[in-house]
Amino acid sequence: LLLLLTRDDGRAEAWVSYRDYALAAGLLADLALADCLGFEDRKRDPKVWLTGELAAERVGGPSAAPRPDSGTGEAAGPAAVMDFGIRALAARSKPPRVQALIPAGWFNPREVVSRSLVAQGVVTLEEARFLGLKPERYPAVDERPEMHTRGRLREALGGRGEVSASDAMIVGILRGMDSAKVILKEEAAAEGLKGRALNKRIEQITDELPALAQHSGRALSASIAAIGAAIGAAIAASAAVSAGSS
C-alpha cells in the first residue's frame, strides 16, 4: 500500500491526506490474514484482540511499545511489520475498537514499513528536514514490486483467475478511502471500468470474501467491513476538526 500511495519521487500523492490510515488498515488486514486476530461479533466497529499463543504471551505497559527494529537490532524486513502490529496490540491494556485503532499513532506502521522496503532495496530513504516541515520521502529504486502488485490488481478487476484475499483487502481499503478511482485509474481504464462500474466490481470482489473466509477459517469479511468503516469515520472526524479550527 505504501508503494501504491507514494509517487516515484518518494512524495505522498498530493490528494492522499490519509495515507497512514490506509497503512494501519493494511497492517490490520495482514494480521487478520495470518490468523493473529479475533474480532468482536458485531458488524459495526468491533473490538479486536490477539488470539491463541499471542494472547497468552501478551504483556502490557509502555515497555511493550514497538520500535521499527522490533528490538532485534537487525534491518527491518517483512516480518518486522507484522511484529510491530503484534507488539502494538500486546501493549494495550484493553482490546481497542477498530475505528479507534486505524487513526491511532501507536498503530501507525509507516516507519517500519518504509524501513522494510529500504532493507529490501525497493526504495531509498530521504530523512525529514527543517524540523519535520519537509517530511520523509521514499524515492523508488526498484519499480518491479509495485508493477507486480498493479498487475495482480488489474487481473482481479478484470475477473481473470482467483483473487487472493490480500488483493481483495487492498482494493477494499482503497475503495474505503474513495481513492481506487485515482490509484487504480490506469488499471481500471484498461478493463473498461469507470465510476460506479469500478466501485461495483470492487464490491463484487469483497463480497466474495465470506466464502474465502469460510474456506480458510479467517474472519476476512468482518475485518474488511470494519476497516472500511474505520477509515470513513477517521476521515470524517479529521475533517470536522479541521473545519472547526478554521
Side-chain angles (χ1 to χ4, degrees), residues 158-235:
R160 292 183 291 276
E162 182 176 346
V163 181
S164 71
S166 60
D167 287 343
M169 285 288 192
I170 290 175
V171 295
I173 291 169
L174 293 178
R175 184 177 182 275
M177 294 178 66
D178 194 28
S179 61
K181 59 189 177 185
V182 179
I183 292 293
L184 302 177
K185 181 179 180 179
E186 294 184 5
E187 289 77 14
E191 299 301 326
L193 298 171
K194 296 181 180 180
R196 293 182 180 179
L198 174 59
N199 285 334
K200 184 175 181 180
R201 175 54 189 152
I202 292 177
E203 287 178 1
Q204 291 174 343
I205 292 172
T206 55
D207 284 347
E208 293 172 0
L209 280 174
L212 292 171
Q214 184 177 10
H215 177 71
S216 61
R218 300 182 174 109
L220 298 183
S221 59
S223 60
I224 192 67
I227 287 167
I231 290 178
I235 290 175

Side-chain angles (χ1 to χ4, degrees), residues 143-152:
E143 297 181 355
R144 288 175 298 178
E146 181 180 353
M147 293 299 100
H148 182 62
T149 298
R150 288 186 176 278
R152 294 198 320 269

Side-chain angles (χ1 to χ4, degrees), residues 34-46:
D35 291 325
C36 295
L37 302 180
F39 288 85
E40 184 181 15
D41 187 17
R42 55 181 286 176
K43 291 183 177 180
R44 297 188 61 181
D45 197 19

Side-chain angles (χ1 to χ4, degrees), residues 45-122:
D45 197 19
K47 292 181 180 179
V48 60
W49 55 83
L50 296 172
T51 59
E53 295 181 359
L54 295 174
E57 296 174 1
R58 181 177 172 277
V59 292
S63 62
R67 297 184 301 274
D69 66 358
S70 300
T72 64
E74 300 177 355
V81 181
M82 298 287 284
D83 185 59
F84 172 91
I86 291 170
R87 288 167 60 86
L89 287 169
R92 312 315 295 175
S93 59
K94 296 180 180 179
R97 293 196 180 278
V98 173
Q99 289 188 16
L101 184 68
I102 295 301
W106 55 266
F107 198 70
N108 180 357
R110 176 164 49 86
E111 185 173 354
V112 69
V113 169
S114 62
R115 272 51 175 185
S116 173
L117 293 173
V118 170
Q120 296 173 71
V122 178

